[in-house]
Amino acid sequence: MPLDPVRLALPFIAASLAAAPAAAATPDAPSPEAALDAYVAGLRAGNVEVLQALFLPDGQFCTLAEDETPPVDCRRFAEVLGSWAARPDPEATGRVLDRRDATPSMSAITYELNFGGDRYVDQLLLYRTGAGWRVVAKTTAVR
């Protein structure tokens, strides 16, 4: 029987989430949408603590580029959150385009973010933890 990498990764992700300390700035978001509202508020204010509370440090952030090499570039959230907060955008907005719940504690969201003069279309994977909803993966494309 072949090994399924997704099945192998899920227990690791769950253990990482359970072991992750709750930051003081963690919004106690009752829904994935509320977590994403806090995300946009953090981008508007340039508040890295809010972003760190919402994004799992070892989670994955990938960008898709057209006609570039490599076409996909992935990094850990811990590597990029500071740069997001370093350029606050008081006019940043976001909206949920689609939400799919795989379980009551796992949600996949297609999200449109307007930030820094660009429009992004994101695919986000969120998990509910004791500290609220947290983003564990984000793939984005600039439109």
Side-chain angles (χ1 to χ4, degrees):
M1 173 193 255
L3 294 176
D4 180 358
V6 173
R7 282 185 186 230
L8 293 173
L10 289 177
F12 172 76
I13 291 170
S16 297
L17 290 174
T26 300
D28 188 16
S31 69
E33 292 87 354
L36 296 176
D37 288 344
Y39 163 44
V40 172
L43 292 174
R44 285 184 190 137
N47 188 331
V48 73
E49 289 83 14
V50 168
L51 299 176
Q52 289 169 334
L54 291 167
F55 289 83
L56 186 69
D58 288 329
Q60 190 171 43
F61 169 62
C62 297
T63 55
L64 300 177
E66 292 183 25
D67 301 326
E68 290 185 27
T69 302
V72 178
D73 178 42
C74 297
R75 293 182 279 170
R76 295 172 49 239
F77 286 127
E79 298 172 28
V80 298
L81 295 178
S83 67
W84 297 355
R87 46 187 194 104
D89 178 2
E91 303 299 317
T93 61
R95 69 184 180 109
V96 172
L97 301 176
D98 186 49
R99 175 179 169 180
R100 305 288 170 127
D101 295 334
T103 73
S105 296
M106 183 172 56
S107 186
I109 293 184
T110 303
Y111 196 71
E112 180 181 76
L113 175 68
N114 294 292
F115 175 71
D118 290 316
R119 185 175 70 107
Y120 301 89
V121 176
D122 299 334
Q123 291 292 323
L124 299 132
L125 182 59
L126 294 93
Y127 285 95
R128 182 175 27 211
T129 71
W133 286 88
R134 298 195 68 192
V135 180
V136 297
K138 174 181 173 177
T139 300
T140 191
V142 179
R143 296 286 180 220

